[in-house]
Amino acid sequence: MATGIKDKVAILGMGCSKFGERWDMGAEELMVEAYIEALKDGGVETSQIQAAWLSTHIDEQSVGKGGTPLSVALRLPNIPVTRVENFCASGSEAFRGAVYAVAAGACDIALALGVEKLKDTGYGGLPTGQPGTLLPQWGANGSAPGNFAQLASAYRAKHGVSKQDLKRAIAHVSVKSHDNGAKNAKAHLQKAITEEMALNAPMIAEPLGLFDCCGVSDGAACAIVTTPEIARAMGKKDIITVKSVQLALSNGLESMHNSWDGSYFHTARIAAKRAYDEAGIKRPRDEVSMMEVHDCFSITELVTMEDLFISDEGRAVNDVMDGFYDAGGKVPCQIDGGLKCFGHPIGASGLRMLYEMYLQLQGRAGARQLKNPKIGLTHNLGGSPSMNVCSVAIIGAQGA
Amino acid sequence: MTQPSVGITGFGAYLPRLRLQRKAMANANAWFNPGIAGQGKGERTMANWDEDAVTMAVEAARDALPGGADPIHARRHVDAVYFASTTMPFADRQNGGIVAAALSLSEDIFTADVTGSQRAGLSALIAGLEKAKSGAAKHVLVAASDKRKARAGSTQEFQIGDGAAAVLLGGDRVAARFLGSHSVSVDFIDHFRGEGEEFGYGWEERWIRDEGYSKIVPRVVKGLLEKTGVAAGAIDHFILPCQFAKLDQQLAAKCGIDAAKVRDNLAATVGECGTAHALLMLAHVLEDAKAGQKILVAAFGQGCDALLFEVADAIGDVRPHRGVKGWLARRKEETNYMKWLAFNGLIEMEKGMRAEKDNKTALTVTYRKRDMLFGLIGGKCDKCGTAQFPRTRICVNPNCRAVDEQKPFSFAELQGKILSWSADYLTYSQDPPSHYGMVTFEEGGRFLSDITDVDIGTIDTGSKMRMVFRIKDFDERRGFRRYFWKAAPIQ
């Protein structure tokens, strides 16, 4: 009987590059930037790393296929390197691989590194391409904002929320993240915005305006993991352990079966339940100290508050407007600015979320440090509302 | 030995929703061609960017074919298809085969394209009737459709319309009995369009009128009346597509047919729809025709084809779903001449880099999934009854999961409903914003569907949708286009 991974793996060191339009750097340089920080943070040398996982989503844009780009960029000692890709949840997949390897006893120290170089396309927004050979022949002509915008109409219809009220709530989601991002020197977008700016911004995909969409950024983030015992032996104090890493994937129900109403993430609810079970969390609204969720779009963040069982169903609009998720609220969300402002270099995002939770848990988050957080949750989503990959990870102080 | 009596057993039409206002066309072009100002009256049909001769023919055929939620079985009886057009999207790939596939007709049938002249619609009709008469086919579908291009500011741009018509032919429950046909083939080059050319090249109109129509049409009509033994005075409806005002009436009179029997050529409201036009006018006339009436339909084009029908008692039972009158009523005025130019490739718009996406199509996949892609055929699980799209090996119902139990199930004629939607300004679309949403079906099944023929702010969760066969994408590099189904608001 599986016992889960709670407290079996510790984070030894983490690193994260500056996110943004890194015209000066390619993916190779970004990987090194994040990696050097993690090595220093962990007090580790490259020769000690026994296995590595690389996450990138768009291989045409970033580094190409395979694990060699990481092995070459970091000059890894001919160790196993696995490239993982699971849409925008790829970063969490790399982390899961490294964590499972350590938990399984297959290696002592493992590396997870995510990177994406998106600003070499020549245009704004995410790159486009044909997803396979069949889907382009029948799939809707959409983009990421339009796919996620679907949530808004279904949520309004289900909960009887007016267009204006929902638009205002998602505007608040973005205003909050901009406030937070302004305190983060590594963030792509570091300017605060007003609710009026968000409400009046150019429309991208009805009802999402420019400020309802996250930044498209270059960046890399990484984690080096080991066992708590080795971490302690290496002189680490205040050890941060992994409480849970869960993943749930759509199986076609949302996109093909009429039991899904389109207003929430079916997978997120499943992944969240599994993660809370693994981590031993009974009352998430009270026990989770802070969260980094996949706020690719403001509406995604809003409905996710319910999918993670923090807000009651249909109550996210009220919690958002009450400031429950603001920096000074009960469960601060996107304290580093989130995808919205820290940015979204796809393959790196899951690891960037963990990076912020890790800093916060260690009291190293500077101007945006929260008071005494115990449990940090990351929610990393890839795909679209009707077909996706959802990762929920929980980390905290050892014994918390 | 008496020949079996065959004729028209069904009829339908299709007109695109947009009606380009000729006033807007004139205003945009008068600076260049002051003579055009007088053309600024009425409106012409304007195909959406995702419509072509094939998609319009499919709609016209749907209008004519028997209704019902199950086209796979309801249309099994059709055993021959003639598709007429001079604007077929493919020069070498049978276009009628695409029409037949979109209609979920049997694959074990005869299909053919008829083209090369403005009278190809009637040529196809004659061929279809002869085929039915010979017994080689029992239920023949003839569809004609055109989306002709003309240069910006040309007279033709004002005169042409986009549209399609379809008739069903056979020997059972005949609504209009075929009495005979007569043809004249003369290489009278009123206009031509050479290989690889986008636009036609026409000769002087007065010559076309006097030496062409005025001499060839009466010759054909005379021949037809002689052949069938019907007196000119017995004709109740005279149908002749003709862009010269009142010439049809003069020609009727010349043939001994009362000018009052000349039927509306829809010039004011539609424009002339090429090979489809004679059939379109015929479908229009049949909507109000009475048993016993005689209909003479002719079409000009390097000669002339003419046919004679006698309306039968069954006319009362044969109705198109929407018909010409219904499509005429479903309209949206379009005054944006720039949009017209863009939809018709008459101006090069800045599409942005997102439009550079390679739309190469894996033809092996297109073939393997042909019932799904052309017929909108999904599956229905025999074990749990769940309808689903696309059809897959394992049932999507979480309480079933039966393997290989799904039978083909068509969604094409089912009414859909919007669950969620967005209007997307980011993704490249020929007609931004790109609307799409989750369309659900009461019978079960759903998919994230493109939405077409839609205006900003007019749909929401719960809006009712009809599925339509449209162009999905163009592959300009290879000269290919993909088709698939989209949802359109029921209007």
Side-chain angles (χ1 to χ4, degrees):
Chain A
M1 182 71 186
T3 54
I5 57 158
K6 187 181 180 184
D7 289 333
K8 291 178 181 169
V9 178
I11 299 176
L12 193 55
M14 289 200 79
C16 183
S17 77
K18 161 90 176 71
F19 281 14
E21 290 167 332
R22 298 294 303 268
W23 310 118
D24 59 330
M25 283 200 185
E28 296 77 8
E29 291 88 356
L30 290 165
M31 288 193 278
V32 173
E33 186 175 316
Y35 179 60
I36 298 290
E37 182 188 343
L39 284 183
K40 280 189 189 146
D41 177 45
V44 188
E45 288 179 14
T46 294
S47 60
Q48 293 175 280
I49 293 171
Q50 296 163 339
W53 277 259
L54 165 66
S55 55
T56 63
H57 171 51
I58 303 172
D59 50 51
E60 300 89 335
Q61 286 297 326
S62 282
V63 292
K65 295 183 196 299
T68 46
L70 183 74
S71 187
V72 172
L74 307 186
R75 307 291 183 209
L76 295 175
N78 305 110
I79 57 171
V81 181
T82 305
R83 183 217 169 186
V84 293
E85 193 288 313
N86 230 345
F87 296 122
C88 297
S90 300
S92 297
E93 274 296 72
F95 185 70
R96 199 168 67 100
V99 164
Y100 277 16
V102 167
C107 62
D108 290 330
I109 298 179
L111 167 72
L113 189 146
V115 66
E116 210 79 39
K117 177 69 196 174
L118 293 174
K119 297 308 297 178
D120 281 339
T121 57
Y123 55 89
L126 293 177
T128 55
Q130 291 210 65
T133 53
L134 178 57
L135 194 57
Q137 301 196 41
W138 72 283
N141 174 30
S143 67
N147 283 328
F148 282 89
Q150 304 284 326
L151 291 163
S153 51
Y155 189 93
R156 287 195 305 256
K158 182 179 182 183
H159 297 297
V161 180
S162 74
K163 268 188 176 175
Q164 292 74 11
D165 286 351
L166 189 61
K167 180 79 180 169
R168 196 162 287 275
I170 59 177
H172 186 89
V173 166
S174 296
V175 168
K176 170 264 301 161
S177 295
H178 274 268
D179 280 348
N180 294 341
K183 294 181 185 141
N184 186 349
K186 284 187 175 178
H188 181 170
L189 306 170
Q190 298 179 32
K191 278 188 190 146
I193 62 163
T194 64
E195 192 179 285
E196 288 309 302
M197 284 165 73
L199 291 173
N200 298 321
M203 193 60 78
I204 303 295
E206 175 73 37
L208 305 178
L210 182 64
F211 289 111
D212 292 302
C213 307
C214 71
V216 171
S217 327
D218 303 325
C222 79
I224 299 171
V225 295
T226 186
T227 63
E229 294 73 26
I230 294 170
R232 206 169 296 115
M234 289 175 72
K236 284 274 162 187
K237 289 173 185 124
D238 301 329
I239 289 171
I240 306 303
T241 58
V242 179
K243 309 295 179 188
S244 175
V245 186
Q246 286 294 338
L247 192 71
L249 272 77
S250 295
N251 59 22
L253 179 113
E254 303 97 303
S255 57
M256 289 176 69
H257 194 257
N258 284 343
S259 55
W260 181 64
D261 66 26
S263 72
Y264 65 98
F265 289 91
H266 183 66
T267 53
R269 295 183 177 192
I270 293 166
K273 271 187 192 139
R274 286 184 193 147
Y276 293 141
D277 281 350
E278 189 171 37
I281 289 173
K282 302 273 186 293
R283 291 166 291 107
R285 192 175 167 99
D286 300 323
E287 294 177 59
V288 172
S289 315
M290 56 185 175
M291 307 190 291
E292 285 293 331
V293 302
H294 198 88
D295 59 330
C296 48
F297 302 96
S298 53
I299 186 67
T300 317
E301 179 173 332
L302 186 132
V303 308
T304 297
M305 298 301 100
E306 298 176 15
D307 296 337
L308 297 176
F309 308 103
I310 308 291
S311 289
D312 288 340
E313 204 170 317
R315 299 292 298 171
V317 169
N318 303 69
D319 280 344
V320 162
M321 295 310 286
D322 291 347
F324 187 85
Y325 300 107
D326 293 356
K330 176 71 173 51
V331 183
C333 191
Q334 319 307 81
I335 192 66
D336 66 358
L339 301 175
K340 176 75 201 73
C341 292
F342 203 138
H344 185 25
I346 307 173
S349 284
L351 286 156
R352 180 230 93 220
M353 297 174 184
L354 288 160
Y355 176 74
E356 177 66 11
M357 297 291 92
Y358 172 75
L359 292 182
Q360 290 282 353
L361 289 166
Q362 294 186 326
R364 295 161 56 198
R368 58 182 193 282
Q369 179 63 47
L370 300 171
K371 222 162 101 188
N372 205 20
K374 293 274 186 293
I375 291 288
L377 179 148
T378 66
H379 158 271
N380 190 195
L381 187 105
S384 64
S386 59
M387 178 96 62
N388 59 72
V389 172
C390 184
S391 165
V392 174
I394 298 170
I395 63 172
Q398 192 179 20
Chain B
M1 183 183 135
T2 52
Q3 291 277 11
S5 173
V6 300
I8 295 169
T9 55
F11 56 94
Y14 176 72
L15 298 172
R17 185 179 73 119
L18 298 178
R19 306 298 151 83
L20 183 62
Q21 300 302 297
R22 292 198 180 103
K23 181 102 179 134
M25 303 171 73
N27 288 346
N29 289 293
W31 67 276
F32 187 75
N33 181 3
I36 219 80
Q39 304 271 353
K41 297 184 206 91
E43 58 191 26
R44 57 155 295 173
T45 48
M46 167 180 167
N48 203 342
W49 72 268
D50 58 0
E51 296 186 287
D52 64 12
V54 162
T55 69
M56 292 192 295
V58 170
E59 281 303 317
R62 289 174 78 187
D63 198 42
L65 285 160
D70 180 9
I72 302 173
H73 295 99
R75 297 171 184 165
R76 277 290 114 165
H77 61 296
V78 176
D79 51 4
V81 175
Y82 290 90
F83 175 47
S85 178
T86 63
T87 53
M88 307 231 184
F90 290 91
D92 194 344
R93 173 194 177 187
Q94 200 189 54
N95 299 276
I98 308 173
V99 174
L103 295 168
S104 294
L105 302 183
S106 165
E107 291 185 347
D108 296 298
I109 63 171
F110 172 85
T111 55
D113 289 346
V114 184
T115 184
S117 165
Q118 293 302 301
R119 67 180 157 102
L122 288 195
S123 308
L125 181 58
I126 292 170
L129 286 161
E130 294 298 340
K131 196 168 188 73
K133 215 160 100 177
S134 74
K138 284 197 161 56
H139 302 280
V140 181
L141 167 67
V142 174
S145 176
D146 258 317
K147 184 186 170 191
R148 290 182 293 164
K149 279 183 92 162
R151 286 194 176 84
S154 63
T155 309
Q156 290 74 32
E157 189 177 45
F158 287 81
Q159 288 171 344
I160 291 171
D162 300 329
V167 288
L168 300 170
L169 311 173
D172 300 333
R173 296 165 57 81
V174 171
R177 199 160 61 89
F178 176 50
L179 300 182
S181 72
H182 190 63
S183 298
V184 166
S185 184
V186 188
D187 190 22
F188 179 85
I189 314 168
D190 58 320
H191 78 284
F192 64 89
R193 178 158 51 88
E195 186 185 357
E197 295 295 323
E198 276 190 278
F199 306 104
Y201 187 86
W203 211 251
E204 187 178 356
E205 289 188 346
R206 297 169 61 81
W207 175 70
I208 298 167
R209 184 191 64 193
D210 296 345
E211 283 295 302
Y213 276 90
S214 298
K215 291 193 175 163
I216 296 171
V217 173
R219 179 174 157 194
V220 172
V221 170
K222 185 162 176 273
L224 176 63
L225 294 177
E226 276 175 14
K227 202 188 263 182
T228 54
V230 172
I235 303 300
D236 298 288
H237 304 281
F238 179 74
I239 296 169
L240 176 71
C242 177
Q243 75 264 31
F244 301 105
K246 298 209 163 52
L247 181 61
D248 45 3
Q249 292 172 21
Q250 291 163 22
L251 294 179
K254 201 168 172 181
C255 298
I257 298 166
D258 184 353
K261 312 286 172 151
V262 176
R263 294 301 161 232
D264 179 15
N265 65 8
L266 304 169
T269 50
V270 176
E272 198 174 280
C273 301
T275 60
H277 208 68
L279 291 175
L280 188 71
M281 289 174 68
L282 177 62
H284 195 204
V285 164
L286 285 169
E287 286 173 26
D288 290 319
K290 303 280 179 294
Q293 291 183 331
K294 289 193 174 62
I295 303 172
L296 193 157
V297 55
F300 179 83
Q302 295 84 51
C304 189
D305 287 323
L307 297 88
L308 194 61
F309 293 96
E310 184 177 51
V311 181
D313 291 338
I315 189 73
D317 307 328
V318 178
R319 279 285 162 269
H321 297 290
R322 204 144 191 174
V324 178
K325 279 193 259 178
W327 293 115
L328 280 172
R330 184 205 71 144
R331 59 188 273 284
K332 194 209 167 199
E333 290 185 12
E334 181 59 68
T335 55
N336 187 348
Y337 184 74
M338 276 295 289
K339 186 187 261 192
W340 158 260
L341 293 180
F343 278 15
N344 288 277
L346 295 168
I347 191 167
E348 191 158 345
M349 303 294 285
E350 172 56 57
K351 296 175 182 170
M353 284 191 191
R354 287 180 178 276
E356 292 171 9
K357 179 166 64 92
D358 190 344
N359 284 330
K360 180 174 176 173
T361 299
L363 300 177
T364 38
V365 177
T366 311
Y367 178 70
R368 198 158 62 231
K369 298 288 184 184
R370 62 192 184 280
D371 70 340
M372 166 193 173
L373 296 171
F374 293 101
L376 200 65
I377 291 171
K380 190 168 193 173
C381 180
D382 252 1
K383 212 170 154 202
C384 73
T386 300
Q388 44 207 289
F389 189 89
R391 184 169 73 252
T392 53
R393 292 196 61 186
I394 302 177
C395 179
V396 74
N397 177 358
N399 302 314
C400 177
R401 301 291 193 233
V403 180
D404 294 336
E405 289 287 345
Q406 292 173 48
K407 295 282 187 307
F409 180 79
S410 173
F411 288 84
E413 299 296 339
L414 302 184
Q415 184 177 293
K417 213 161 83 176
I418 295 281
L419 178 73
S420 66
W421 65 279
S422 183
D424 188 335
Y425 290 88
L426 181 66
T427 197
Y428 169 69
S429 166
Q430 284 87 342
D431 187 21
S434 171
H435 280 80
Y436 50 99
M438 187 63 82
V439 174
T440 65
F441 299 90
E442 243 171 59
E443 294 78 357
R446 57 169 53 182
F447 66 95
L448 199 63
S449 172
D450 285 320
I451 300 169
T452 190
D453 287 357
V454 62
D455 300 316
I456 297 164
T458 58
I459 54 162
D460 207 347
T461 300
S463 295
K464 288 175 177 157
M465 296 282 140
R466 175 175 183 268
M467 303 312 294
V468 292
F469 186 72
R470 293 293 173 97
I471 296 167
K472 174 94 185 89
D473 273 310
F474 290 98
D475 177 359
E476 283 168 11
R477 193 190 295 183
R478 301 171 189 85
F480 191 74
R481 61 186 64 183
R482 295 171 180 152
Y483 295 97
F484 187 59
W485 293 77
K486 301 179 184 180
I490 292 177
Q491 290 160 330

